[in-house]
Amino acid sequence: MDTEKIIKAGKIASQVKKFAKSFIKPKMHLLEIAEKIEAKIVELGGKPAFPVNLSINNIAAHYTPSHDDKTLAHGLLKVDLGVHFNGWIADTAFSMDLENSQENKKLIQASEEALKSAEKILKAGIHLNKIGGIIEKTIKSKGFSPIINLSGHEISQYELHAGASVPNIDDSRASILTPGLYAIEPFATNGSGKVHDGKPSEIYMLQSSSHPRNPGARELLDFIVKEYNTLPFCSRWIVKKLGTKSLFDLKILESNGNLHHFAQLVESENAIVSQTENTVLIGKEIIITSED
Ligand code: MN
Ligand code: MN
């Protein structure tokens, strides 16, 4: 594990978070927000580890603007961003209330406090369900529910979701936290506490690099392998680099099984969802790489 690169990625992620909080205002285009955040990551010397997720209200995760997106920022906005150096990732998220709603503010507080209380008990050897338990307890004490089928995750090089999951509830499984890199991400909702797959997100990830017959698709695949490796990317990025005609090749790669296409994740009762996330390095000491 390259600790130095992870810490560098975390520092940039923290700075970009601060920057995003300073400029995001209600009724801004999500497209403009996403492009500003991703440009800032590059300006600070990093690379986006995945397309910025800007998920509103009942969408818990996996919304990123398309190249011609017209959606305006509103409601409870979750900003989930990642920075990487050579595939070493810091994955972090915060939520903003853009309609001055007490309920939104309470939901945001619940996921923030859940993350903080989880961070306090982190150390190698602790049971993962204990982390989930404290997240669950904190969110429930605020009168909300954790999303039980979304969880934190281990991270390895060029692999955003690797190995172990860090549950958001006490799932009474006995596995323990071993030294490594983890994202911890409580989600709080005033709904049932489950998400299901919604519309396609236009966020993709390489699944197989076996060459398709179509020359345009083959060229696009080579570009994806070189540019993103096994990290998630989106159609907006492809359009920006290669123009709208590349969307056709993207579809070919998808139907050829080269790409995994993520779905938006929507709360089952269409209730409001908040999210807070940090990436932590578990070793002799505990380093919260993406702290505010
Ligand atoms: Mn994230
Ligand atoms: Mn994550």
Side-chain angles (χ1 to χ4, degrees):
M1 208 158 36
D2 194 329
T3 308
E4 203 179 302
K5 287 204 172 66
I6 293 166
I7 289 174
K8 229 163 89 179
K11 283 210 171 111
I12 292 179
S14 307
Q15 277 174 276
V16 176
K17 248 197 305 195
K18 204 183 276 173
F19 168 69
K21 284 177 185 170
S22 76
F23 81 78
I24 295 174
K25 299 280 180 296
K27 295 191 182 143
M28 270 180 88
H29 282 96
L30 293 189
L31 190 56
E32 188 192 347
I33 296 173
E35 292 196 328
K36 271 194 159 153
I37 290 174
E38 289 164 0
K40 190 71 174 180
I41 293 172
V42 173
E43 186 195 314
L44 294 173
K47 279 188 179 171
F50 51 84
V52 177
N53 284 215
L54 298 169
S55 310
I56 293 175
N57 291 344
N58 60 325
I59 303 179
H62 294 173
Y63 187 98
T64 199
S66 58
H67 74 281
D68 55 358
D69 200 291
K70 298 279 184 283
T71 314
L72 304 180
H74 67 278
L76 195 160
L77 174 69
K78 291 154 291 284
V79 179
D80 192 335
L81 62 98
V83 178
H84 84 95
F85 281 100
N86 284 6
W88 292 108
I89 305 163
D91 178 9
T92 188
F94 64 92
S95 297
M96 281 176 101
D97 164 43
L98 300 177
E99 58 188 1
N100 209 7
S101 142
Q102 283 314 309
E103 181 82 348
N104 288 352
K105 287 184 176 41
K106 282 185 202 155
L107 276 164
I108 293 169
Q109 215 175 35
S111 65
E112 286 176 351
E113 282 182 26
L115 178 59
K116 266 191 208 126
S117 50
E119 285 171 354
K120 272 188 204 140
I121 64 162
L122 289 178
K123 60 174 183 201
I126 190 183
H127 286 90
L128 288 169
N129 69 318
K130 211 174 160 194
I131 301 172
I134 200 155
I135 288 172
E136 179 177 12
K137 199 174 129 209
T138 310
I139 292 173
K140 284 187 171 165
S141 76
K142 306 274 176 192
F144 300 121
S145 300
I147 305 259
I148 65 166
N149 58 340
L150 287 178
S151 53
H153 47 94
E154 200 171 346
I155 299 173
S156 62
Q157 192 180 23
Y158 285 109
E159 204 177 347
L160 184 57
H161 289 234
S165 294
V166 184
N168 285 324
I169 53 159
D170 180 354
D171 61 1
S172 61
R173 269 184 271 180
S175 37
I176 59 166
L177 186 67
T178 54
L181 188 64
Y182 296 85
I184 302 182
E185 47 182 318
F187 291 80
T189 179
N190 54 5
S192 69
K194 262 194 178 164
V195 290
H196 60 244
D197 283 357
K199 291 179 197 158
S201 68
E202 297 195 45
I203 300 169
Y204 300 87
M205 196 171 75
L206 186 67
Q207 183 164 263
S208 148
S209 42
S210 72
H211 268 160
R213 282 168 188 274
N214 180 293
R218 202 181 311 165
E219 213 174 298
L220 178 60
L221 182 65
D222 289 341
F223 173 81
I224 289 166
V225 170
K226 184 170 80 60
E227 205 64 26
Y228 312 120
N229 197 327
T230 46
L231 292 174
F233 63 93
C234 61
S235 60
R236 170 169 54 84
W237 289 359
I238 298 295
V239 168
K240 199 161 194 181
K241 299 253 187 182
L242 305 165
T244 46
K245 65 165 184 34
S246 58
L247 290 175
F248 178 71
D249 298 323
L250 196 60
K251 285 290 156 212
I252 295 178
L253 291 180
E254 188 183 344
S255 58
N256 198 46
N258 292 103
L259 302 178
H260 172 69
H261 191 170
F262 292 91
Q264 294 175 11
L265 297 172
V266 184
E267 211 285 331
S268 296
E269 293 178 337
N270 279 319
I272 310 288
V273 181
S274 69
Q275 176 203 16
T276 313
E277 177 176 29
N278 270 331
T279 295
V280 296
L281 199 49
I282 309 288
K284 275 199 204 86
E285 47 174 348
I286 308 296
I287 303 169
I288 299 164
T289 70
S290 55
E291 205 162 27
D292 290 22

